[in-house]
Amino acid sequence: MPKLLTVSDEIVESLWTERVAERFGSVDLVLAAGDLPFDYLDFLASALDRPLVFVPGNHDADLSGYSRRRGLWFASGFPARYPGPAGAVNADGRVVEVAGLRIAGLGGSIRYNEGPNQWTERQQARRAARLVRAARRRPVDVLLTHSPPLGVGDRDDPPHRGFACLHTVVQRLSPAVFVHGHIHPHGQPVPDRSMGETRVLNTVGYRILEVP
């Protein structure tokens, strides 16, 4: 089974050292669920020499509108400096195949102010429908999001309420694992949850995960 290092939201200082390769060099892939410094993600991918797949969180820069052509990044048709992690795969709104896994991604949180990467429920539902269509009715191995689904590990306060549309995504794509961030445990244990046959886990900080 592929072994993953999953991270989000909180920097783990012991990972931001050269010894990370000694501890986690056996992983096949790094998954990032948002709200981490991009240079931190760059370091993990470089130190482990593994591919990195991410979705942006509500505190990350707006990465929409960038495209890569002939090795260069463009925005609005002009060469531009890409603000995201270099060499990483942005899975937001896409289905990507990396390290033998099909990974579907949706970044961002529920809209609670005018910051980037925030969506109303209706907006995220439209994005989710496009993601399901992009999967071409084929199941995925991993669903990677920043926010949790409504009622499954989210919170009652407006910024941390989950998305109801993610229930439909799970029903349609049947992921073995659903990885999200956004909900800080503040030192409390966070149990994994289930949505049917899908295992749902909060990866704030980091987790080591094997995907069947």
Side-chain angles (χ1 to χ4, degrees):
M1 293 187 290
K3 181 183 290 187
L4 281 56
L5 170 64
T6 67
V7 295
S8 80
D9 291 86
E10 296 178 1
I11 292 172
V12 179
E13 292 185 5
S14 62
L15 297 186
W16 211 341
T17 71
E18 296 298 335
R19 297 190 63 183
V20 68
E22 298 176 18
R23 296 180 61 195
F24 301 118
S26 63
V27 302
D28 301 293
L29 174 66
V30 181
L31 282 186
D35 281 358
L36 283 171
F38 291 146
D39 54 349
Y40 177 73
L41 300 183
D42 281 335
F43 174 81
L44 289 175
S46 176
L48 295 172
D49 193 23
R50 295 294 185 270
L52 186 146
V53 177
F54 77 101
V55 292
N58 54 295
H59 294 297
D60 288 326
D62 183 3
L63 300 179
S64 62
Y66 288 87
S67 61
R68 188 176 176 87
R69 302 195 300 272
R70 299 185 298 276
L72 297 175
W73 285 100
F74 291 81
S76 302
F78 295 94
R81 180 184 178 276
Y82 180 58
V89 177
N90 184 354
D92 187 23
R94 303 171 59 203
V95 178
V96 300
E97 297 193 20
V98 182
L101 297 172
R102 272 172 58 86
I103 302 165
L106 273 179
S109 75
I110 198 78
R111 178 166 292 283
Y112 62 93
N113 62 27
E114 297 305 314
N117 305 316
Q118 297 180 32
W119 311 96
T120 66
E121 178 66 44
R122 180 175 294 182
Q123 289 170 331
Q124 190 76 317
R126 287 197 292 265
R127 284 165 32 87
R130 290 194 293 268
L131 179 67
V132 169
R133 289 195 296 271
R136 301 181 183 273
R137 300 183 179 180
R138 292 173 54 204
V140 300
D141 300 299
V142 179
L143 176 60
L144 175 66
T145 71
H146 181 60
S147 290
L150 183 67
V152 185
D154 61 345
R155 297 287 186 267
D156 293 331
D157 60 304
H160 296 102
R161 192 172 74 249
F163 285 110
C165 61
L166 294 178
H167 288 262
T168 301
V169 176
V170 170
Q171 292 169 3
R172 298 289 180 84
L173 299 187
S174 303
V177 179
F178 182 161
V179 177
H180 71 83
H182 193 51
I183 307 300
H184 295 256
H186 300 297
Q188 299 298 314
V190 181
D192 291 351
R193 295 170 168 85
S194 296
M195 298 175 68
E197 298 298 317
T198 298
R199 174 186 174 193
V200 182
L201 62 92
N202 181 337
T203 188
V204 170
Y206 83 93
R207 299 279 297 270
I208 295 294
L209 172 67
E210 291 187 338
V211 180

